[in-house]
Amino acid sequence: MRLLRAFFVAFLTAVVGCVLALFVGDYLTRLAHVPEMEGQRGMTVIFLCVPLGIVAGLIIGIVSSILVRRQGPAGFLIAQGWSLLIACGLAGLLIGVPYVLSDKPPRIDGKPLELQFELRAPAAFQIPDQPDGYSIRVSLYTDNQQSRFAFIDWSAITKDAEHITIPGNVPLLTHSNTRSLLASIGNEPGGSQFIELKIPRAPTKQDETWSEWIFATQRADLSPVPEPERFAARYRVRTAD
């Protein structure tokens, strides 16, 4: 009878652990800024967090069932209640402690911030009449690690005899020591270049004005960029809508 009770308590707690793991995993991966690229964040939640939640639920349910000595339906309810309470408490700790210790997104007047930029490339770089995420890609690097892809305003791209100007924006989620843009046009090696940004860890209202044009100095493979091929960008910080 105790074995059967342990099975049902563990099973029900594992189901609850699976559901809690979805919410906790989603929150923690967002807090850790796990990239969305190629479903990386979703796979982390499904293939790492959910199995851990199920295993934790099974262990909590079995231990609770063993420790509760009372027999009958009352013993089952007590064991189940304790196991669910412990599972929910553990989920709360996994959310609360990282939140307290995490690097919160910078703000101005209590509002979240985003980086607005204009990327300028030489006209020699060809883009289709209707560009997309395969022909033009811009991502923000923070402390030398890719954080997330930028939104590109496709309808506002302009061309002239000398330049292609590409506007976009990307959220600022951390107080990073260094920030840079990796801009890629097409699939040529010379079409991916780093542009170093001079933004303080905690931007202020002074950073809401447009910067000067800053030129790329390195390709994605860290080789130098010849002057005729250099991308340039100007940027500013603004509060997100």
Side-chain angles (χ1 to χ4, degrees), residues 156-178:
I157 294 175
T158 59
K159 305 177 185 178
D160 58 33
E162 297 182 353
H163 302 110
I164 304 166
T165 303
I166 304 162
N169 60 76
V170 62
L172 295 178
L173 301 177
T174 60
H175 293 78
S176 303
N177 293 315
T178 62

Side-chain angles (χ1 to χ4, degrees), residues 42-219:
M43 288 191 291
T44 301
V45 174
I46 297 299
F47 296 110
L48 177 62
C49 299
V50 167
L52 288 176
I54 293 173
V55 171
L58 288 172
I59 294 173
I60 292 171
I62 292 172
V63 172
S64 297
S65 184
I66 292 174
L67 293 179
V68 173
R69 299 294 183 180
R70 191 164 179 175
Q71 301 294 322
F76 171 79
L77 292 176
I78 293 173
Q80 188 66 75
W82 273 111
S83 63
L84 294 180
L85 182 63
I86 293 170
C88 291
L90 180 61
L93 287 175
L94 289 174
I95 290 176
V97 174
Y99 175 79
V100 171
L101 300 177
S102 66
D103 179 17
K104 311 300 188 299
R107 295 174 178 267
I108 294 179
D109 295 334
K111 299 178 180 179
L113 304 178
E114 65 182 16
L115 176 73
Q116 183 183 15
F117 63 85
E118 288 184 350
L119 173 67
R120 192 171 68 185
F125 288 89
Q126 300 295 320
I127 63 172
D129 293 333
Q130 293 184 336
D132 53 32
Y134 294 99
S135 56
I136 300 174
R137 304 175 301 280
V138 180
S139 55
L140 178 67
Y141 273 66
T142 56
D143 295 333
N144 299 319
Q145 293 184 340
Q146 186 183 42
S147 58
R148 62 189 302 157
F149 283 102
F151 166 80
I152 302 296
D153 188 352
W154 307 112
S155 62
I157 294 175
T158 59
K159 305 177 185 178
D160 58 33
E162 297 182 353
H163 302 110
I164 304 166
T165 303
I166 304 162
N169 60 76
V170 62
L172 295 178
L173 301 177
T174 60
H175 293 78
S176 303
N177 293 315
T178 62
R179 297 181 178 94
S180 59
L181 292 177
L182 176 62
S184 301
I185 297 179
N187 296 315
E188 295 297 326
S192 295
Q193 303 177 17
F194 278 109
I195 302 174
E196 299 296 329
L197 309 178
K198 299 177 181 178
I199 304 175
R201 284 174 53 84
T204 64
K205 285 187 173 294
Q206 294 179 345
D207 300 298
E208 293 180 335
T209 58
W210 283 102
S211 69
E212 300 293 330
W213 288 99
I214 299 176
F215 289 89
T217 57
Q218 289 183 326
R219 291 182 171 134

